[in-house]
Amino acid sequence: AMESLLAVQPFILGEGFTIADASAYGQLSMNLIDPSTVRELRERAPRLHGWLVGIRDGAHAGRCGSLFLSDALRPLLSIVMKTFAPLMAQNERAWRDATARGETLFNESAFDQGRALYDGELLGRPFRAVVKTFQVRVWHELRDAWRALADDDRTALRGLLPQSELLD
């Protein structure tokens, strides 16, 4: 999805580096550590590799330009809404259930003690995770920002965001 997006525009939201790029870089830059992964990335996704290396090396600094939502975002937003949104929603439900049971320990400390664990499903596959309170906070902030959008903006974004009802 990133490869096809970067074929059309230099950054996630257009011509300028934004927090969206910084967030994606934070998730994907770990792929620059392992030499075999770097080789595979360079072969399979050369635009993404170049984008990651450019950000790592500071080539994005001072890059300004038009910001826009383009149809090129559809594949990336589809993946985000099929993975990130359901994961956040499941984590929040697990947090609510755990706090209702009186649980007060979360994150890695809870994991180490086998507490605040929950079973979920992502892309049709089961998983087990520990409740992450920072994910609850991020999900609440994202949903608050979604609700604060003007109705016309939310309607326009729904066309790009599959499963946007998770944000409601």
Side-chain angles (χ1 to χ4, degrees):
M2 284 291 291
E3 187 72 6
S4 64
L5 175 64
L6 295 171
V8 176
Q9 56 200 57
F11 297 104
I12 293 175
L13 295 177
E15 298 171 358
F17 183 84
T18 66
I19 191 72
D21 298 282
S23 296
Y25 178 81
Q27 294 295 312
L28 299 172
S29 63
M30 68 184 83
N31 291 298
L32 297 177
I33 295 169
D34 176 29
S36 64
T37 304
V38 170
R39 279 191 300 280
E40 186 171 344
L41 186 60
R42 198 177 310 125
E43 290 172 13
R44 294 180 65 188
R47 288 181 184 94
L48 177 57
H49 175 263
W51 181 83
L52 289 167
V53 168
I55 292 172
R56 179 197 67 198
D57 295 347
H60 67 290
R63 290 285 307 259
C64 299
S66 299
L67 300 180
F68 48 84
L69 295 176
S70 74
D71 281 340
L73 274 168
R74 283 184 193 280
L76 179 60
L77 292 176
S78 178
I79 289 170
V80 167
M81 292 306 289
K82 289 177 183 174
T83 56
F84 174 79
L87 179 62
M88 295 300 105
Q90 290 176 73
N91 182 73
E92 181 193 31
R93 274 193 301 277
W95 173 78
R96 275 191 269 115
D97 292 346
T99 55
R101 290 190 313 270
E103 182 62 76
T104 59
L105 188 64
F106 301 102
N107 306 313
E108 285 69 22
S109 298
F111 178 81
D112 292 343
Q113 295 183 30
R115 294 170 54 183
L117 299 175
Y118 71 97
D119 295 313
E121 185 177 296
L122 200 54
L123 299 174
R125 295 189 177 109
F127 70 88
R128 176 164 265 203
V130 67
V131 173
K132 304 266 186 175
T133 53
F134 76 91
Q135 289 180 351
V136 172
R137 189 172 56 253
V138 165
W139 187 237
H140 286 176
E141 289 172 4
L142 182 61
R143 291 177 69 209
D144 289 347
W146 173 258
R147 290 184 199 115
L149 290 172
D151 289 341
D152 290 348
D153 292 337
R154 212 172 22 257
T155 298
L157 285 170
R158 283 188 195 282
L160 286 173
L161 292 173
Q163 296 179 312
S164 61
E165 66 278 358
L166 289 172
L167 295 166
D168 293 326

